[in-house]
Amino acid sequence: MMFDLTTAQLIAGQPRRDGTATFTSVTPRTRVPGTHVFANATQAEIDDAVAQAEAAFEQTRHFPAARLADFLDRVAAEIEALGDDLIALADEETALGSARLTGERGRTTGQLRKFGALLREGSYVEAIIDTALPDRTPAPRPDIRRMLFPLGPVAVFAASNFPFAFSVAGGDTASAFAAGCPVIVKAHPNHPATSELVGHAINRAIAQAGFPPGFFSLLHGDRIDVGQALVRHPGVGAVAFTGSLRGGRALFDAAAQRPTPIPVYAEMGSLNPVIVLPGALAQHGPQIAEGFAASVTLGSGQFCTKPGLLFLIDGPQADDFIATVTAQMASATPGALLNAAIERGLAQTVEHTLAQPDVTLLAGGSVVEGAPFCYAHTVMQTTAAAFRANPDLQHEHFGPATLIVRCQSQADLLGALDALQGNLAAAVHAAPGESDSAAPVLARLREKAGRLIWNGFPTGVEVVHAMQHGGPYPATTTPRTTSVGMTAISRFLRPVAFQDVPDALLPDALKDANPLGIWRKVNERFTRDAVTRV
């Protein structure tokens, strides 16, 4: 290994190890514990990390956007400088494979640079100016100007299934940094060594940029109380989480019970339903079946956008489609799961689903014995009536498993969709002549999901301005925000309005002359022009 590991907390750039409760990662392919022993963060270490973040925020909340952008570019370059050692270590801890991890690293560094570009463009502050109307009757209107400012220190909880893109320097951290907020990352215990390497890269970028060291800290822990203590700390201003419904809800409840509640932006899993209408089934059934099976099993089904539900209207072509999906799933070799908890959780959830009335197992349904954590590709089916009546059929199966819902008619399908809970994404497959049938389906799904896909599959997201990776509860705690794409920055910004404040005392984004040259909404019109006061 090119870089030495401290196996300590990294608090404001310095290693610290007070705790005695220890843990290691476990290699998924062999079930063998890792050689690097990490300690759970103590309350004193958490207190220190938050205090350092609060001190850093006193400086960084005033940093110009260009300075923050340069820092994000430095972080991306330092991660790339870790080279193949980072990929090898991440593969050892996750078994995700070098090709997948190399691509994910590129996504991670790419989104850091995209946030830098967003900062340089500048309109993310949403500057709005309504100039005074002194002659308005019956009362004059004051000059009011509004823009967004950083919220404060952010606690980021890394995900198990994305050791780069939703981890130490992932989208939550990148968007919080871009907002000017210090970040305290709670590393995922699946990949603590990988997390430390990335943490060192961030600290090198902080030193190069001349940022206060408390702008970033990294805490470790495999116990619930570490995360709970971080969320309850009065110095933390917001929380970002990617993981299970149980974990996200626990953090949300802890934050709500604080004397001063704070926002928790939790992504907590999703079923991502796919609806295949009869015309699409008739024209492209085999191709859709192949794509669906590939989407369910991609990454061993360990994506939050994996399609865990499929809705069909009964008929001979539906029978053929289900047989094709089942055969494709059963014939493919299952891959390694990330850890024992995922394997155990999937086995328990599938067992619970199969115990429900009117649910049939078509393939899989068991742990695959052998060295890796592994579960058989699993296909189950039920009826629309059973789905409507039983909320237990909407538990997420995190792994290579899916449930097919057979509907007797279009009306039966629409009734089943009405019973859907919140999801991150949903997909509709329809033939060119099925617009009349597809319209009410899309209308229902719009109320149930944050992203709608036409003739495609939900697996995968694009890091672009228009991406929406969020949805109604229980997919997330805050359906109006996204955790992927450039608008994710808005989670860590808050609006402040200035009324009749002299130009010299205003932030640059709100000054009359528009010295930043950004797009602003002035008197209900977007413009880069200067403002003339009355």
Side-chain angles (χ1 to χ4, degrees):
M1 178 58 57
M2 181 178 174
F3 302 97
D4 293 330
L5 293 172
T6 68
T7 67
Q9 325 303 332
L10 300 180
I11 300 176
Q14 298 299 315
R16 178 171 169 180
R17 188 182 174 109
D18 297 347
T20 57
T22 60
F23 68 96
T24 69
S25 61
V26 176
T27 303
R29 294 189 183 95
T30 63
R31 304 180 186 246
V32 174
T35 57
H36 305 293
V37 180
F38 290 79
N40 280 265
T42 65
Q43 184 65 58
E45 289 169 331
I46 294 169
D47 291 343
D48 190 11
V50 177
Q52 295 277 2
E54 290 180 289
F57 186 57
E58 290 302 309
Q59 299 181 51
T60 62
R61 66 192 181 94
H62 300 296
F63 281 3
R67 188 174 182 186
L68 292 166
D70 290 343
F71 166 70
L72 292 172
D73 288 346
R74 290 178 186 272
V75 174
E78 286 296 330
I79 291 172
E80 289 166 346
L82 294 170
D84 292 340
D85 285 340
L86 177 65
I87 301 298
L89 183 56
D91 183 50
E92 179 183 326
E93 291 191 311
T94 67
L96 291 175
S98 60
R100 148 76 192 272
L101 290 167
T102 299
E104 188 185 329
R105 179 181 59 185
R107 168 182 165 180
T108 303
T109 56
Q111 64 193 11
L112 284 161
R113 292 188 172 104
K114 283 188 174 183
F115 276 111
L118 176 76
L119 294 178
R120 294 185 179 98
E121 186 272 331
S123 63
Y124 73 97
V125 299
E126 298 181 10
I128 304 172
I129 299 174
D130 289 298
T131 56
L133 296 176
D135 298 328
R136 189 185 68 174
T137 58
R141 185 178 82 182
D143 183 282
I144 302 175
R145 306 184 181 210
R146 176 188 187 271
M147 64 176 287
L148 301 178
F149 290 90
L151 193 60
V154 174
V156 170
F157 286 76
S160 64
N161 56 337
F162 282 91
F164 302 142
F166 277 94
S167 190
V168 176
D172 291 333
T173 298
S175 53
F177 278 163
C181 297
V183 172
I184 304 152
V185 173
K186 162 59 178 64
H188 198 281
N190 268 17
H191 38 80
T194 302
S195 298
E196 183 179 334
L197 280 193
V198 176
H200 288 309
I202 295 174
N203 282 331
R204 284 191 288 273
I206 285 175
Q208 294 165 11
F211 275 37
F215 196 58
F216 169 75
S217 289
L218 177 67
L219 302 176
H220 292 284
D222 68 343
R223 301 190 325 195
I224 295 174
D225 59 338
V226 174
Q228 296 276 6
L230 181 58
V231 170
R232 292 191 179 108
H233 198 290
V236 171
V239 175
F241 169 87
T242 301
S244 68
L245 174 59
R246 179 182 177 187
R249 185 56 195 257
L251 296 181
F252 179 85
D253 290 344
Q257 291 164 7
R258 291 173 33 147
T260 302
I262 57 173
V264 175
Y265 302 106
E267 184 224 292
M268 301 177 295
S270 180
L271 300 177
N272 310 303
V274 173
I275 295 86
V276 185
L277 296 179
L281 207 60
Q283 292 187 18
H284 306 292
Q287 294 90 337
I288 297 172
E290 181 179 353
F292 179 77
S295 186
V296 172
T297 58
L298 182 67
S300 298
Q302 298 171 113
F303 287 100
C304 50
T305 52
K306 180 210 75 177
L309 280 175
L310 184 138
F311 293 86
L312 294 169
I313 295 176
D314 265 336
Q317 291 170 330
D319 293 336
D320 293 341
F321 181 90
I322 292 171
T324 302
V325 168
T326 302
Q328 295 244 348
M329 294 268 291
S331 63
T333 302
L337 299 175
L338 288 163
N339 56 49
I342 289 175
E343 182 187 77
R344 181 172 58 254
L346 179 57
Q348 291 172 347
T349 309
V350 168
E351 181 181 7
H352 180 76
T353 299
L354 291 174
Q356 305 306 306
D358 298 317
V359 177
T360 306
L361 178 66
L362 302 180
S366 62
V367 171
V368 177
E369 300 298 331
F373 300 118
C374 189
Y375 198 85
H377 292 169
T378 298
V379 183
M380 299 166 283
Q381 71 173 2
T382 190
T383 65
F387 183 83
R388 288 194 302 271
N390 190 353
D392 278 2
L393 296 182
Q394 297 194 56
H395 290 168
E396 182 185 22
H397 301 92
F398 191 74
T402 195
L403 175 66
I404 297 174
V405 180
R406 304 186 67 143
C407 308
Q408 295 181 353
S409 63
Q410 172 85 354
D412 201 26
L413 167 63
L414 297 178
L417 298 182
D418 284 335
L420 271 175
Q421 298 173 356
N423 286 274
L424 295 171
V428 177
H429 287 261
E434 290 188 293
S435 295
D436 289 346
S437 298
V441 171
L442 285 171
R444 282 162 172 78
L445 293 177
R446 190 187 71 179
E447 307 305 315
K448 307 290 185 176
R451 178 167 58 108
L452 304 180
I453 299 113
W454 185 257
N455 286 339
F457 299 97
T459 311
V461 295
E462 292 292 334
V463 185
V464 294
H465 289 257
M467 177 51 60
Q468 175 60 25
H469 190 66
Y473 185 87
T476 70
T477 52
T478 312
R480 65 182 181 83
T481 65
T482 179
S483 61
V484 176
M486 307 303 88
T487 53
I489 193 174
S490 66
R491 297 174 297 168
F492 309 118
L493 297 166
R494 68 179 184 88
V496 177
F498 297 79
Q499 183 168 323
D500 288 334
V501 174
D503 190 70
L505 299 179
L506 288 171
D508 284 349
L510 298 178
K511 289 183 185 297
D512 289 349
N514 192 13
L516 300 178
I518 64 174
W519 285 101
R520 308 186 297 184
K521 193 172 188 179
V522 179
N523 295 328
E524 303 179 12
R525 183 175 67 89
F526 285 103
T527 178
R528 283 193 171 117
D529 294 343
V531 172
T532 301
R533 294 204 185 207
V534 178

